[in-house]
Amino acid sequence: MIRAGLPMLAAWIAAHPLVSLVAFFAVFPFLVPHISLATQVLTYGLYALGFNLLYGYTGLLSFGHAAYWGLGAYGTGIALAKLKVGSLWVALGAGLGAAAVGGVVAGFFCLRRRGIYFAMLTLAFAQLLYFIAFHLADWTGGDDGLRGIPLHPLWLPGVSVSLRSPLAFYYFTFVLVVLAMAAFKRILDSPFGAVLQAIRENSDRAVACGYDVNRVKLLSFVFSALFAGLAGALEGLRLTVVPVETLYWSTSGQAVFMTLLGGAGTFFGPFVGALTYLVLEERLSRFIEWWPIVVGSVFMAFVLFLPRGIWGTLTGRLHGQPGA
Amino acid sequence: MPEITFSALAAQVFTGLVLGGILVLMAIGLSLIFGLMTVVNFSHGALYMLGAYFAFTIFGLTKSFWVSLVLAPLLVGTLGFLIERFLVRPLYGRSPDDPLLLTFGLSLVIVETVKVVWGKIGLTVDAPRDLAGAVNLGFMNFPIYRLFVIAVTAVVLVGLWLFLERTNVGLVIRAGARDALMVRALGIDLGRVWLLVFALGITLAGLAGVLAAPMRGVYAEMGVEIIIECFVVVVVGGMGSLLGAVVAGLLIGEIVSLTTFFAPKLAEIVVFLTMAGVLLVRPSGLFGEAGRAE
């Protein structure tokens, strides 16, 4: 009974994604030792989600997703810390805008090639941004990172909410992530989403069917950058600091890792992956200094033996085909 | 801007050849592996770094740079055998992204292991006494060690060319790159050839690492830096094209070297600018075979 129970539960969750998401994450902060961990699961999950849109659903492997995460973080951070913007919403908008611009520019160049070249190009773009951030120290704080980002109270109609308490910030993040997930679901369920997956399965055939594949890919790229940018902005606000490692290749690797761990091409995969990764990191990095070696080894093991990821395997096994 | 004397300029051009040479050794390895196996080895940079670290240790034990030069690449190559046999081979037939993902994880493991074993502080390997100092070529003075690197690169390239063009194994490799199915249909066991090519490519990376060590130092980030430059080289030169790897490698080497001379602030990003430029003008790269995992 229990054995059948888990895949059945997984199937139910897969069939009711938004409800499950809201229900789980509404109580999540009380299930983990620190609220900050819960918030990180949300932000990193969203980051991985952005990556997943591009890789799992459109079939484009990006090794430079830290670029958009970083643009979101720096955009929001610079708006608040350097440009002295007073409204959190405007600052978030700035971060999103920066990520979107990055997505358009990177997409324009990187999509000129396919497959592995595309992957290499995305990495190069992210590394370029890393250099720029390193050197524009007046704006980005250079090697020390952008510090002292003021966390203004949130302006809502009629009320101003302070986000200083970790729980308040968690629910602020929670609401934004749920909205983002709803948007994500809307994208996937739309004809556009169907074309995305068609491109993943057989790009040439999609072209033959008459779809403007290049435009669809670019749009997917920009959406993906927006999700990653929002996530980066939120994480920047949470930390009130944006370290320069935000743009480093290892941060790009985290998105890849979490998505693969959870299950590429699945709705919840990124969050499952983020949760697993962050919990393991929290538990293990205290005892094992060589924690990244564990990460890399587990990653390789997943590529070799469990390519569908945790969630992908759970949902896949029931239907015998790619799950939700 | 320093005074542009002919000898200063000439020295920079030669330095570009040195830089280019290292890039060529790396890019050829990458290209060979990709051309035959359609595998992108993300850990190529990490193995280059490993070559340098092995050289450091071997030098510490034997006090001989020459022994390090020979032994370190061979050790790295042996590791290459193991990697192909146990990590990459099982992925045959699956999505072409999988080996890229796997080698990405592998590079992380290698870099972190190096940090644990050798520490996080950069190390130094000294060039051998025989190659120290500079030689006067008439129009300029140039470090002998760097000339040595250029010479080694040239010798390796010629040797590789002879190997591919004049031996039976080379013939199989070239045929396998063009049509693996057909080669198999003719009864040739490509598995062993793949093993050889992979190990050969990795050995070249290790060699590049040893050669670069006295010039650039030995530190944990050297792998990432070089792999990105390599990726730019193959994007520009075309993957699977050895001529492309050579031309693009030397070209990028020269561009970086001359930019360092004329506009130092741009030097770090000029690689990316070049790549962007090539992408705009000739998307398939300078020599790339369009349509091949494009």
Side-chain angles (χ1 to χ4, degrees):
Chain A
M1 183 60 191
I2 305 268
R3 254 181 153 230
L6 197 52
M8 273 174 55
L9 178 64
W12 188 91
I13 293 176
H16 305 83
L18 283 178
V19 171
S20 312
L21 191 82
V22 172
F24 179 75
F25 280 108
V27 298
F28 187 54
F30 306 107
L31 300 173
V32 287
H34 322 286
I35 300 179
S36 60
L37 178 65
T39 319
Q40 268 191 309
V41 171
L42 278 180
T43 51
Y44 277 88
L46 183 62
Y47 173 41
L49 182 85
F51 170 81
N52 189 31
L53 175 62
L54 199 59
Y55 176 58
Y57 287 98
T58 320
L60 298 170
L61 176 57
S62 155
F63 268 120
H65 243 61
Y68 321 105
W69 159 271
L71 280 170
Y74 275 111
T76 304
I78 289 177
L80 286 170
K82 302 283 177 182
L83 298 174
K84 306 287 185 220
V85 166
S87 158
L88 215 53
W89 295 115
V90 172
L92 276 176
L96 279 176
V101 168
V104 170
V105 173
F108 173 72
F109 281 101
C110 300
L111 285 170
R112 288 177 95 80
R113 306 295 292 275
R114 282 156 66 166
I116 41 142
Y117 293 114
F118 171 80
M120 293 180 196
L121 289 168
T122 55
L123 176 62
F125 182 75
Q127 201 64 10
L128 174 64
L129 283 183
Y130 175 75
F131 276 133
I132 294 178
F134 211 88
H135 286 292
L136 285 183
D138 293 334
W139 285 101
T140 64
D143 200 7
D144 294 327
L146 185 63
R147 295 177 175 270
I149 301 176
L151 191 59
H152 298 311
L154 195 66
W155 296 346
L156 293 172
V159 63
S160 169
V161 181
S162 166
L163 295 175
R164 299 220 179 264
S165 89
L167 199 59
F169 191 83
Y170 173 81
Y171 282 110
F172 167 61
T173 311
F174 169 65
V175 169
L176 286 180
V177 170
V178 167
L179 288 174
M181 293 297 275
F184 182 67
K185 183 153 195 322
R186 191 71 197 78
I187 292 174
L188 284 185
D189 291 341
S190 71
F192 174 76
V195 177
L196 279 187
Q197 301 188 66
I199 293 176
R200 176 191 67 204
E201 294 303 318
N202 193 334
S203 187
D204 294 323
R205 175 123 190 246
V207 173
C209 286
Y211 293 108
D212 186 349
V213 163
N214 284 327
R215 203 174 132 261
V216 171
K217 280 183 182 175
L218 184 62
L219 266 176
S220 172
F221 201 101
V222 175
F223 278 130
S224 165
L226 279 171
F227 285 118
L230 177 61
L234 287 170
E235 182 69 1
L237 288 175
R238 186 185 76 86
L239 292 170
T240 67
V241 178
V242 182
V244 76
E245 285 74 33
T246 303
L247 288 165
Y248 203 51
W249 66 279
S250 47
T251 309
S252 295
Q254 281 180 316
V256 180
F257 182 68
M258 287 186 285
T259 303
L260 203 80
L261 191 62
T266 67
F267 192 78
F268 286 105
F271 286 100
V272 171
L275 177 61
T276 314
Y277 175 78
L278 288 168
V279 167
L280 278 180
E281 181 190 50
E282 213 244 343
R283 295 282 115 184
L284 293 181
S285 61
R286 287 184 221 170
F287 309 114
I288 309 177
E289 213 195 287
W290 32 275
W291 155 251
I293 299 182
V294 175
V295 169
S297 311
V298 169
F299 185 76
M300 287 199 285
F302 266 77
V303 173
L304 284 168
F305 307 118
L306 212 65
R308 313 274 288 288
I310 299 173
W311 187 252
T313 313
L314 268 177
T315 49
R317 217 188 289 147
L318 187 63
H319 299 294
Q321 49 181 274
Chain B
M1 188 145 69
E3 197 192 303
I4 312 176
T5 61
F6 179 68
S7 72
L9 190 62
Q12 277 308 113
V13 169
F14 266 72
T15 305
L17 283 182
V18 179
L19 199 59
I22 302 283
L23 284 177
V24 165
L25 286 176
M26 293 289 287
I28 284 200
L30 259 182
S31 231
L32 263 178
I33 295 174
F34 180 76
L36 187 64
M37 303 159 70
T38 330
V39 163
V40 179
N41 180 24
F42 199 100
S43 60
H44 220 67
L47 291 158
Y48 155 90
M49 174 197 68
L50 208 56
Y53 273 94
F54 279 160
F56 173 82
T57 302
I58 297 174
F59 184 78
L61 290 172
T62 65
K63 298 290 178 232
S64 163
F65 179 80
W66 303 105
V67 172
S68 311
L69 188 65
V70 171
L71 210 52
L74 287 178
L75 278 177
V76 177
T78 314
L79 195 60
F81 267 117
L82 296 172
I83 294 173
E84 199 279 339
R85 184 68 192 76
F86 294 111
L87 293 178
V88 176
R89 184 84 66 92
L91 296 175
Y92 174 65
R94 283 161 52 168
S95 147
D97 287 333
D98 284 357
L100 184 54
L101 288 170
L102 180 102
T103 50
F104 178 76
L106 180 64
S107 70
L108 183 63
V109 171
I110 294 178
V111 171
E112 292 297 322
T113 308
V114 160
K115 282 194 202 168
V116 168
V117 174
W118 278 276
K120 296 187 189 177
I121 309 177
L123 306 167
T124 45
V125 172
D126 295 319
R129 285 275 208 78
D130 315 324
L131 297 176
V135 71
N136 190 330
L137 290 176
F139 54 91
M140 67 166 190
N141 285 323
F142 200 67
I144 299 183
Y145 182 74
R146 298 191 174 196
L147 280 177
F148 172 68
V149 171
I150 298 178
V152 170
T153 309
V155 166
V156 167
L157 281 178
V158 168
L160 203 58
W161 185 84
L162 286 173
F163 175 66
L164 286 174
E165 294 287 324
R166 297 270 185 264
T167 66
N168 282 339
V169 184
L171 187 61
V172 172
I173 292 175
R174 282 186 291 131
R178 191 173 301 193
D179 195 337
L181 199 57
M182 201 55 190
V183 172
R184 281 210 156 98
L186 289 170
I188 299 174
D189 179 8
L190 265 189
R192 286 173 39 192
V193 178
W194 282 9
L195 200 54
L196 178 69
V197 166
F198 197 86
L200 179 64
I202 304 285
T203 309
L204 287 174
L207 177 65
V210 179
L211 287 172
M215 297 187 296
R216 286 175 146 191
V218 180
Y219 53 101
E221 284 77 41
M222 62 192 288
V224 175
E225 291 169 8
I226 201 89
I227 195 78
I228 294 183
E229 287 169 28
C230 268
F231 281 164
V232 172
V233 168
V234 296
V235 165
V236 167
M239 199 65 132
S241 160
L242 291 188
L243 180 63
V246 174
V247 172
L250 291 176
L251 186 67
I252 304 266
E254 286 298 340
I255 291 178
V256 172
S257 185
L258 291 171
T259 314
T260 316
F261 188 71
F262 288 110
K265 285 245 164 84
L266 283 181
E268 274 172 359
I269 60 169
V270 73
V271 182
F272 302 114
L273 294 175
T274 314
M275 183 181 68
V278 171
L279 277 176
L280 281 175
V281 172
R282 281 193 71 121
S284 336
L286 298 177
F287 293 88
E289 308 153 12
R292 167 163 279 136
E294 191 191 329

